[in-house]
């Protein structure tokens, strides 16, 4: 009994240490710059995968705002930068424009809080578990991601 309690305690301390050392873990990989004033640095650590060339990472940045029944979006571009002297990539979302929306008439009670994504170029990245995905975004912008995986099912094109 004492051994299992001690094991659980040791595990929780180790997990806490790993969770709180995110910044130091990043500095052990490479000297990625600190976020500039008005920006935040977001770091994504991808899991190792067997066929990483068959995967992509989609960065989904945006804000949670009050919206109505219309379709809303922000605009922006994610640009790839190279860490000087290292050759590692990091990404910058320098400007978020909007929001823009369709202009349909909506019922009075259609307002609600919803995540509204930034749409633009550069948000689909190569999957590479050997290096973190580092994204610099304006303060107040949430950075999420999802992993896309190609199917092994190839469909032949028809010659015409």
């Amino acid at each position: 009994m004492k051994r299992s309690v001690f094991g659980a305690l040791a595990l929780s301390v180790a997990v806490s240490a790993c969770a709180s050392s995110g910044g130091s873990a990043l500095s052990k990989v490479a000297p990625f710059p600190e976020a500039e004033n008005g920006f935040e640095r977001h770091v994504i650590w991808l899991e190792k995968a067997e066929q990483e060339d068959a995967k992509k990472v989609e960065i989904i940045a945006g804000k949670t705002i009050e919206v109505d029944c219309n379709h809303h979006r922000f605009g922006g571009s994610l640009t790839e930068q190279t860490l000087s002297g290292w050759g590692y990539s990091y990404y910058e979302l320098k400007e978020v424009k909007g929001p823009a929306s369709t202009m349909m008439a909506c019922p009075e009670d259609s307002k609600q809080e919803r995540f509204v994504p930034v749409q633009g170029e550069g948000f689909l990245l190569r999957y590479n578990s050997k290096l973190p995905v580092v994204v610099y975004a304006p303060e107040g912008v949430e950075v999420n991601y999802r992993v896309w995986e190609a199917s092994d099912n190839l469909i032949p094109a028809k010659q015409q």
Side-chain angles (χ1 to χ4, degrees):
M1 177 72 173
K2 287 182 182 179
R3 186 175 287 174
S4 63
V5 171
F6 179 72
L9 181 61
L11 179 62
S12 67
V13 169
V15 169
S16 308
C18 289
S20 65
S21 67
S24 65
L26 183 62
S27 65
K28 289 179 183 176
V29 173
F32 287 96
E34 293 294 325
E36 298 174 4
N37 283 341
F39 286 82
E40 296 174 323
R41 181 173 66 189
H42 303 266
V43 181
I44 301 166
W45 298 93
L46 299 170
E47 294 181 14
K48 185 168 176 43
E50 285 186 29
Q51 294 184 325
E52 292 191 0
D53 58 332
K55 294 182 177 232
K56 296 282 185 187
V57 178
E58 180 184 12
I59 303 299
I60 306 161
K63 295 181 181 182
T64 300
I65 60 171
E66 186 176 85
V67 296
D68 56 19
C69 71
N70 286 289
H71 295 283
H72 296 78
R73 69 176 183 85
F74 288 99
S77 293
L78 193 65
T79 56
E80 183 176 9
Q81 305 295 327
T82 303
L83 185 58
S84 182
W86 290 78
Y88 297 161
S89 295
Y90 64 91
Y91 301 88
E92 293 180 336
L93 179 61
K94 282 290 192 185
E95 186 178 15
V96 174
K97 299 176 184 173
S101 74
T102 56
M103 302 295 282
M104 298 185 306
C106 296
E108 289 276 330
D109 61 349
S110 68
K111 293 205 183 267
Q112 59 184 336
E113 292 281 316
R114 183 173 289 159
F115 178 79
V116 177
V118 176
Q119 296 179 345
E121 297 293 319
F123 290 93
L124 195 60
L125 312 176
R126 184 173 79 88
Y127 191 103
N128 181 4
S129 65
K130 292 178 179 72
L131 294 171
V133 178
V134 181
V135 178
Y136 296 89
E139 288 179 350
V141 173
E142 301 169 43
V143 175
N144 304 292
Y145 72 99
R146 68 176 145 215
V147 175
W148 292 87
E149 187 169 359
S151 167
D152 290 334
N153 183 24
L154 299 178
I155 303 168
K158 295 181 182 175
Q159 292 181 343
Q160 294 184 352

